[in-house]
Structures are given as C-alpha cells and as structure tokens.
C-alpha cells in the first residue's frame, strides 16, 4: 500500500471515532528540538476505540508506527518517518484525583500532575514539576528528577498491545530502572494510576522555576545523555571543555553542558555528529562511555 491508500483506508476505518488523519505532517512542529522531516501520515486520536483501530490497522498491514507525545525527548530524522505517527488527545489528556491516587491519561502533562497533586494536598509527585513531557513519554524514559522517578509512584498502567488488546500491568510487573522503559516496548500506555500521600511539600512553582533557571531557553530535547553512576553527564562534558562546541546550528549549551541546543536551523545530522564527538571526547579523557537519553526516530530494527 502507498501512503495515499493508507490515508483513505484509515479515514474510512476511523469514521465516528473522534480521530483525524493528516498526510505529510512536518514533525519539526511537534518536537521541542524543532527538528525532523515529515510523517507520511499523522493520526490524532482522542478516544480508546480510535487508538485500537489504528494499532490493529498498522499491525495487520505491517506499517511502521510511532506514538509521539509532546516530542520533548526525541530527535527525528530529516527524512521524517515513512509510516504512521500517532498523537493522543481528548480523553487521553484527562487527570482525576481519587483520595490519595491520581489517574492520568497517556497524553496528560507530567507538570500538570504535579500541580494538581499539590492543589489536592498530595505529596510525592512534586519532582515532576517542570518536566515538559507526557505520561506516555515519561513511561518510556522513566522520567524523573532529584533522585526520584515516575515508576516509584506508579501503582498500575493500563496498556494496549499490538493487536488492540487491553490489559492492566500491576506494580510488580513494572520496571524501576534509571531512564529505562517502565513497561515493555510492545505495549502502548493508555493511562496510569499514581499512589501518593497526604502532606505538604516544597511548592511546585518554586521547583519549576528552579529547573527552568538551570536549563537553556533554546530548543532542545532536554538532558541529552544519561548520568553515569556517581557523576552527572553535564559535569563530565563541562570538565572536558566541550561547552559551546558546535556542529552547524547544533551546540553544547553554555548554561548546561548536558543540553544540545538548536541555535536556529540545526538538522538531525548536526545533532547526531555533535553527540558522537562528545561521546568520543568524554570516553577518551575519562574512560566513561556516555549513553543517549534522547530517542532517535524512526527506530531501526537493530534498535527495537
């Protein structure tokens, strides 16, 4: 099938499901890096029924499919994604509080969760303040800050498999490793339940402002490398004298060395080349091999 046929068939399949299909959508508009080519098709899905239909269609037709949240932790190829990119909205963005638990959809903002928890007198989610991603993206990377992570407060996650089946993964089935996926890669998160506690914490506004004061204002994908055990990646990069290093319009931030920023018209190749230079320099000078925290899309078979 060609993209035009995918588009026609998906539009027919998704009628009445509060979803819509957009061909040739520029992905740079959907990422915090402002980098990336076009998606052959973007499908915006607002209800669970529509998501099931999209996932079944892509699986049955062996189409490349990627689910994209706010695009805050990804670097997308300039060639784009030659398949289907799914964006969640509608019911997937809902957040609900019940006692000491918060239920949040996969498209819900992590920062919003911290604010709602505070407003309801719940402690334990304040470290999410200022993190720009969504619940779904947070589960892919086990988002966190200040030594705390999303998996630590997650009670359960409702997921969808490749053929549209839905199940609930309980706490004991979830992973709790630094910057590693919380749920297996074959699943898409639909929503989660967080378990918190009554109590007061440092105000979310103060935490958010503290984070923003340390992060560069230019477009980026956040912290580019994972922190090796015992030392921040940014400190290693700075001690190697790499702040301000530039390839094209991709640059190591002068404010925070673990940020690669887009100075205007950076391309995928600029960022990728700069990242490889940083990794090589740090390994040569310290013996430490840095690992990317940012995900490269599309994901090739060797990275799946």
């Amino acid at each position: 099938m060609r993209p035009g046929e995918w588009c026609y068939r998906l539009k027919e399949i998704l009628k009445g499901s509060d979803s819509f299909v957009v061909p040739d959508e520029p992905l740079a508009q959907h990422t915090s890096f402002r980098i990336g080519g076009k998606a052959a098709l973007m499908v915006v899905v607002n209800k669970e029924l529509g998501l099931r239909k999209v996932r079944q269609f892509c699986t049955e037709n062996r189409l490349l499919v990627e689910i994209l949240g706010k695009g805050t932790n990804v670097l997308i190829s300039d060639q784009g994604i030659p398949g289907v990119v799914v964006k969640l909205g509608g019911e997937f963005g809902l957040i609900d509080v019940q006692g000491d638990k918060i239920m949040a959809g996969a498209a819900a903002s992590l920062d919003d969760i911290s604010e709602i928890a505070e407003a309801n007198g719940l402690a334990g989610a304040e470290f999410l303040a200022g993190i720009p991603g969504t619940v779904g993206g947070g589960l892919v990377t086990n988002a966190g800050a200040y030594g705390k992570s999303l998996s630590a407060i997650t009670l359960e996650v409702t997921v969808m498999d490749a053929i549209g089946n839905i199940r609930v993964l309980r706490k004991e089935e979830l992973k709790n490793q630094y910057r590693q996926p919380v749920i297996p890669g074959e699943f898409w998160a639909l929503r989660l339940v967080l378990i918190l506690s009554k109590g007061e914490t440092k105000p979310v506004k103060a935490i958010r402002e503290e984070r923003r004061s340390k992060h560069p204002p230019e477009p980026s994908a956040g912290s580019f490398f994972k922190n090796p055990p015992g030392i921040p990646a940014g400190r290693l990069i700075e001690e190697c004298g790499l702040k301000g290093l530039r390839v094209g319009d991709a640059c190591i931030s002068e404010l925070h060395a673990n940020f690669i920023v887009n100075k205007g018209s950076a391309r995928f190749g600029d960022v990728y080349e700069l990242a490889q230079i940083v990794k090589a320099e740090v390994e040569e000078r310290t013996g430490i091999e840095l690992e990317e925290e940012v995900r490269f899309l599309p994901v090739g078979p060797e990275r799946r």
Side-chain angles (χ1 to χ4, degrees), residues 6 24-28 31 35-42 64 66 68 75-85 267-269 296-300 304:
W6 308 345
D24 295 323
E25 179 68 5
L27 293 172
T31 72
I35 294 172
K38 295 180 179 180
L41 287 183
M42 176 171 281
L64 171 65
E66 299 283 359
L68 187 67
L75 176 62
I76 296 178
S77 166
D78 294 324
Q79 280 68 53
I81 296 179
V84 177
V85 173
R267 300 176 66 82
F268 175 94
F296 299 146
L297 295 179
V299 180
R304 285 189 183 276

Side-chain angles (χ1 to χ4, degrees), residues 232-253:
R235 185 186 302 170
L236 283 173
I237 297 167
E238 183 173 357
E239 289 177 354
C240 289
L242 299 175
K243 272 189 171 181
L245 184 66
R246 187 164 178 160
V247 175
D249 264 0
C251 181
I252 302 298
S253 171

Side-chain angles (χ1 to χ4, degrees), residues 12-299:
E12 289 297 308
I13 289 168
L14 292 171
K15 279 183 177 177
S17 67
D18 195 16
S19 306
F20 57 93
V21 183
V22 183
D24 295 323
E25 179 68 5
L27 293 172
Q29 299 176 7
H30 297 274
T31 72
S32 58
F33 235 144
R34 301 294 181 259
I35 294 172
K38 295 180 179 180
L41 287 183
M42 176 171 281
V43 185
V44 180
V45 182
N46 294 309
K47 293 182 179 178
E48 191 175 291
L49 174 62
L51 188 63
R52 181 185 293 116
K53 289 180 176 180
V54 172
R55 185 118 215 228
Q56 288 172 339
F57 177 84
C58 291
T59 298
E60 289 167 2
N61 291 282
R62 298 183 179 181
L63 299 180
L64 171 65
V65 59
E66 299 283 359
I67 192 162
L68 187 67
K70 290 187 175 182
T72 56
N73 203 44
V74 297
L75 176 62
I76 296 178
S77 166
D78 294 324
Q79 280 68 53
I81 296 179
V84 177
V85 173
V86 177
K87 290 274 288 185
L88 301 180
E91 66 181 37
F92 296 104
L94 298 178
I95 301 172
D96 185 41
V97 180
Q98 294 183 10
D100 60 356
K101 297 181 179 66
I102 288 183
M103 280 62 69
S109 161
L110 295 173
D111 185 58
D112 286 350
I113 288 173
S114 71
E115 195 164 290
I116 289 172
E118 180 184 50
N120 285 271
L122 295 175
E126 57 278 358
F127 69 92
L128 298 175
I131 296 179
T134 62
V135 163
L139 289 169
V140 171
T141 61
N142 197 10
Y146 308 109
K148 299 179 181 179
S149 60
L150 183 61
S151 60
I153 57 172
T154 300
L155 186 63
E156 63 182 46
V157 183
T158 302
V159 298
M160 178 182 291
D161 69 15
I163 57 174
N165 295 323
I166 295 171
R167 59 172 292 198
V168 176
L169 299 178
R170 309 293 179 186
K171 185 77 171 177
E172 59 273 15
E173 299 174 90
L174 305 177
K175 302 293 184 182
N176 184 20
Q177 295 177 308
Y178 173 71
R179 299 298 179 267
Q180 295 295 320
V182 178
I183 60 176
E186 68 267 24
F187 294 121
W188 285 357
L190 305 182
R191 52 192 168 272
L192 54 56
V193 177
L194 303 177
I195 181 71
L196 304 175
S197 58
K198 292 289 184 179
E200 294 185 5
T201 63
K202 183 177 179 179
V204 161
K205 182 179 180 181
I207 296 172
R208 187 184 295 125
E209 290 176 352
E210 181 181 341
R211 285 179 57 87
R212 288 176 179 170
S213 70
K214 297 177 180 178
H215 293 173
E218 301 98 331
S220 75
S223 295
F224 202 92
F225 298 102
K226 299 176 184 178
N227 290 326
I231 185 168
R235 185 186 302 170
L236 283 173
I237 297 167
E238 183 173 357
E239 289 177 354
C240 289
L242 299 175
K243 272 189 171 181
L245 184 66
R246 187 164 178 160
V247 175
D249 264 0
C251 181
I252 302 298
S253 171
E254 294 281 3
L255 182 63
H256 192 311
N258 197 19
F259 279 65
I260 295 178
V261 298
N262 181 353
K263 286 292 190 177
S265 57
R267 300 176 66 82
F268 175 94
D270 298 333
V271 177
Y272 185 84
E273 182 180 344
L274 182 56
Q276 303 318 302
I277 292 171
V278 169
K279 289 174 68 175
E281 286 287 325
V282 170
E283 185 172 14
E284 181 178 346
R285 298 187 188 199
T286 70
I288 297 173
E289 184 177 358
L290 293 177
E291 181 183 354
E292 292 90 347
E293 181 175 328
V294 170
R295 297 173 61 229
F296 299 146
L297 295 179
V299 180

